[in-house]
Amino acid sequence: QVQLVESGGGLVQPGGSLRLSCAASGIIFSVYAMAWYRQRPGKQREWVANIVGGGSTYYADSVKGRFAISRDNAKNTLYLQMNSLKPEDTAVYYCNTKIQGSNYWGQGTQVTVSS
């Protein structure tokens, strides 16, 4: 079955960087678009970025220019490089893919931006 496992979260100071990873299994990874979402405290889950099979990328305005989504199809792994982090980036970050109308999610990884 489809399995997505995020890692790389943690505590970082404002202005710092983190790189999240999402290891995928049970799918032909290179075929599918992949996405990152986040859920900030007290807020609904929101889309952050996505990357299609061909490599085109799209970003929410709130992270454009600071975050970079990428994928390594040989390793079945999705990444999110987060730079210039702000306290408002504090959230649980989730990896996502949609296959034949069904959404698949990882368990999430906590990112906390605080001094």
Side-chain angles (χ1 to χ4, degrees):
Q1 71 275 20
V2 179
Q3 191 169 18
L4 303 173
V5 180
E6 301 96 335
S7 61
L11 173 64
V12 62
Q13 291 188 342
S17 298
L18 278 177
R19 189 175 81 154
L20 306 183
S21 299
C22 171
S25 59
I27 60 172
I28 304 173
F29 181 76
S30 61
V31 171
Y32 295 102
M34 300 293 298
W36 287 100
Y37 284 74
R38 69 185 180 186
Q39 188 161 15
R40 294 187 276 183
K43 301 284 184 71
Q44 289 191 332
R45 195 173 296 189
E46 61 181 356
W47 169 73
V48 173
N50 68 290
I51 182 167
V52 299
S56 296
T57 58
Y58 306 88
Y59 298 94
D61 288 344
S62 58
V63 306
K64 201 173 293 183
R66 299 188 299 121
F67 290 11
I69 188 172
S70 62
R71 64 194 300 161
D72 185 333
N73 290 335
K75 295 182 178 180
N76 285 7
T77 302
L78 176 73
Y79 301 101
L80 185 68
Q81 178 67 44
M82 305 186 295
N83 300 324
S84 302
L85 282 160
K86 304 175 181 180
E88 52 264 41
D89 294 317
T90 295
V92 178
Y93 284 74
Y94 297 91
C95 177
N96 166 269
T97 191
K98 192 171 185 177
I99 301 172
Q100 296 182 337
S102 295
N103 272 302
Y104 295 89
W105 301 92
Q107 83 288 352
T109 186
Q110 175 71 47
V111 172
T112 302
V113 184
S114 175
S115 54

